[in-house]
Amino acid sequence: MILGGTEEAKALAARLVAAGHPVIVSLAGRAAADYPGTVRIGGFGGADGLAAVLRAERITHLLDATHPFAAAISPGAVRAAAMAGIPYLRLERPPWGAEPGDDFVMVKDAEAASAAVPEGARVFLTLGLRGLSPFLARRDLELVVRAIAAPDLEGRADVTVLRARGPFALADERALWAEHGFDALVTKNSGGSDAKLVAARENGALVVMIERPAGQPPADATTVDEMLARLGKG
Ligand code: NAP
């Protein structure tokens, strides 16, 4: 079973299905369900529920390829795999780091991220739907929000919303930055394609980066190839 919700989960499922393995992909519900293998959707009701499913489906390996900011599912998945007596392996993309010349501020959460943005800035918010409130409360900021679904703007009519799903090409990011002239980018440290960071660097913009949640299981692999190698399928 693959715990999904990321591009890596989809790619891992495709490779395992192509190699002839029966794969169940588990999604929380919000992500698109066009995955290879058998897809199941919805929470398990905690670690006990997941352990029961692992036993009932006679799962031999629990592969956790959830997003680095999905903080609740992974610790429970470790416990569930132990209860079911099967291996748990986590695929987690490496975090982004500042390069020479970058103007990075690392913060713990959205509140701290908002506090790190200077007065009157034009801000590109790529936090998804959560964590917008501290920014929406600041009337001095010009905000552009990029998210897959429509966010709750808490009554702010002056906020620009860009509905889009990544990954984003560098040429498109450059065009967006040329259009909006952002002073600051606010992002979670998701890792993966770094086109928006390149655009921020080229524009000399401040990058406010929300650090990954603490208490997550360590990564066993950082790429699909590494995970397949760990499974002996590389
Ligand atoms: P979360 O806080 O870790 O999970 C909340 C609850 O949703 C979990 O306790 C679990 O319910 C259920 N759940 C989460 N992932 C699941 C999965 N793959 N299969 C079945 N149930 C799952 O996660 P989240 O931040 O809400 O994210 C939900 C999903 O979206 C994740 O699978 C993640 O990979 C994907 N995603 C998240 C982000 C992000 O920034 N958070 C970004 C991109 C994609 P029970 O306790 O009832 O089992």
Side-chain angles (χ1 to χ4, degrees), residues 4-5 26-28 30 42-46 66-67 69-73 130 188:
S26 174
L27 302 174
R30 282 189 290 129
F44 300 96
T66 56
H67 191 273
F69 279 80
I73 183 80
R130 300 178 203 167
K188 298 184 285 195

Side-chain angles (χ1 to χ4, degrees), residues 64 73 98 115 143:
D64 181 356
I73 183 80
L143 299 174

